[in-house]
Amino acid sequence: METRADSSREAGGAFAPEPPVGGGASGEELGVPKVLALAAGGTIARALAAAARLGIADRLAAGPLSSGELAKRTESHPEALDALLGTLVLAGVLGREADGAYRLTEDSEVLRSDHPDSLRNTVTLIAETYDDAFRALSTTVRTGESAFPEVFGRPLYEHLAASPEEERVFDASMAELCRPVAAQLASVYDFSGVRTVVDVGGGDGTMLGRVLDAHPTLRGVCVDRPSVCERARREPHPAGDRISFEPADIFTEIPAGADRYLIKNVLHDWPMERQVRALTVIRRAMAGNAAARLLVIEPMLEAELAAPHVLAQMVICESGTRGIAEADMRRLLAAAGFTPLSVVPLTGGHQLFECAPAPAAESATG
């Protein structure tokens, strides 16, 4: 969630951000102090979100276009749009032809809505809703409490439930981020002998759908918030009637009796007490099926490189939320009554923990 940029401020002028990667003039070349460059990172973030909202990458997919033509197609102010596009050129996101027309670069291809690895909604989520929450970063730094309620008046998921467009972007972003992991899970995990899979917090069914596509004999249940399930049901799913969407409070009760329970990138959004509660609910749902297994997929946040991610979680998620390292995960699973059977590294720093209920937990009432 971190954006790095360089910028310059001439007398009466505006910030001119520099790219975090590839192309564009550097802050050092422009004689700009690094702290000013970093402070202007929000310019890049908001410009990216605006371009994503306008569908600029989709409109440039067929080839370069002038800012005037793009302004017509997006019903934008020509001068303002040209400044936005110029900002993204300096950031190395867009390119500019000799005649002044704008073109996509390798970095901006993923802003296309039809790109197989599209990040259009993820960019929008990070640069809009999440960036707004960082307005109250000082509250988190002073108190350790989430800043999100101070900015939005309620916690993240309550805000999403009351804000249909932001919830749509959030769910679409989660689908974008899960596609590479979903493809890997479908290929590396042995689903032979498995009949049913419940994806806890599975959003629009992207993750579960990829698994079902690779294993035609499987059936799946996607569990999430009521509004998420309602929206998912509106569109035909590629898995057809092999997938169903069931609204539930994952901290209270989920469908029982499945062969595999899957929970991906859900636990790290909550403090440990809530993590344990969600896993305990899953363990109870597994009772009575000795062959049932839990598949936990989470990014392992180790060492200093995890600091921006951990800070973002502290600002955006419920108070008490922290990043999860492997040692944390093992303690969490033990606290919820699970024993890890195997740990498999996946893409993007994720790890797959296959777990069974611990014997003592199986005999307990939960």
Side-chain angles (χ1 to χ4, degrees):
M1 297 179 184
E2 178 180 59
T3 302
R4 189 178 161 271
D6 288 329
S7 64
S8 64
R9 182 188 285 276
E10 299 177 358
F15 282 117
E18 185 228 358
V21 290
S26 70
E28 290 182 358
E29 290 170 348
L30 295 172
V32 180
K34 185 173 183 179
V35 291
L36 288 184
L38 294 172
T43 305
I44 298 277
R46 292 290 175 161
L48 279 169
R53 287 279 188 188
L54 291 170
I56 296 296
D58 287 348
R59 299 173 195 279
L60 293 177
L65 292 171
S66 69
S67 61
E69 182 60 29
L70 284 168
K72 290 178 185 176
R73 298 189 185 189
T74 60
E75 300 181 347
S76 301
H77 186 282
E79 186 178 0
L81 182 63
D82 190 57
L84 182 144
L85 298 173
T87 297
L88 295 179
V89 169
L90 285 176
V93 176
L94 293 178
R96 184 177 257 160
E97 302 289 277
D99 63 0
Y102 293 95
R103 59 176 169 80
L104 294 179
T105 65
E106 183 178 353
D107 289 325
S108 54
E109 287 283 348
V110 294
L111 291 176
R112 286 170 32 209
S113 59
D114 62 348
H115 193 282
D117 298 317
S118 177
L119 293 173
R120 179 178 176 178
N121 291 285
T122 302
V123 164
T124 304
L125 174 68
I126 292 171
E128 291 184 350
T129 304
Y130 287 0
D131 191 60
D132 284 343
F134 265 76
R135 296 205 315 261
L137 171 61
S138 58
T139 294
T140 297
V141 174
R142 287 196 315 269
T143 68
E145 299 295 307
S146 171
F148 200 94
E150 180 174 326
V151 175
F152 293 96
R154 51 199 161 199
L156 171 63
Y157 289 106
E158 290 181 23
H159 173 72
L160 293 175
S163 309
E165 171 58 14
E166 288 184 74
E167 186 175 53
R168 182 199 66 76
V169 170
F170 178 89
D171 291 342
S173 169
M174 298 305 103
E176 290 171 355
L177 294 174
C178 89
R179 286 186 187 115
V181 179
Q184 198 173 12
L185 174 67
S187 64
V188 304
Y189 185 78
D190 182 9
F191 282 95
S192 59
V194 176
R195 297 164 301 172
T196 55
V197 180
V198 171
D199 189 352
V200 180
D204 68 355
T206 296
M207 183 84 179
L208 187 54
R210 182 65 185 83
V211 172
L212 297 183
D213 181 59
H215 302 277
T217 62
L218 288 181
R219 302 185 70 85
V221 179
C222 194
V223 177
D224 214 304
R225 304 184 305 280
S227 56
V228 177
C229 291
E230 180 184 355
R231 188 165 52 251
R233 288 169 176 159
R234 291 176 191 160
E235 301 293 332
H237 194 280
D241 63 2
R242 290 196 297 129
I243 188 170
S244 62
F245 295 87
E246 295 194 20
D249 178 353
I250 67 170
F251 300 105
T252 305
E253 187 175 12
I254 60 172
D259 300 311
R260 293 294 179 273
Y261 286 82
L262 169 64
I263 185 166
K264 175 194 174 290
N265 282 34
V266 171
L267 297 175
H268 71 233
D269 282 348
W270 302 97
M272 185 172 180
E273 185 238 334
R274 300 267 265 173
Q275 294 169 347
V276 171
R277 192 184 311 170
L279 290 174
T280 300
V281 168
I282 295 174
R283 178 169 56 77
R284 289 172 178 164
M286 295 167 63
N289 184 352
R293 296 291 181 265
L294 167 65
L295 307 179
V296 179
I297 300 176
E298 286 283 348
M300 296 293 100
L301 303 182
E302 313 281 355
E304 297 82 4
L305 293 178
H309 194 144
V310 173
L311 180 62
Q313 287 180 301
M314 293 178 71
V315 168
I316 295 161
C317 301
E318 190 171 295
S319 293
T321 302
R322 302 290 184 271
I324 302 175
E326 183 170 345
D328 301 321
M329 178 59 74
R330 291 183 179 277
R331 284 192 292 270
L332 171 60
L333 291 169
F338 282 102
T339 298
L341 304 178
S342 64
V343 181
V344 178
L346 299 177
T347 187
H350 290 80
Q351 288 191 6
L352 164 63
F353 293 78
E354 181 181 26
C355 311
E362 283 185 308
S363 62
T365 60

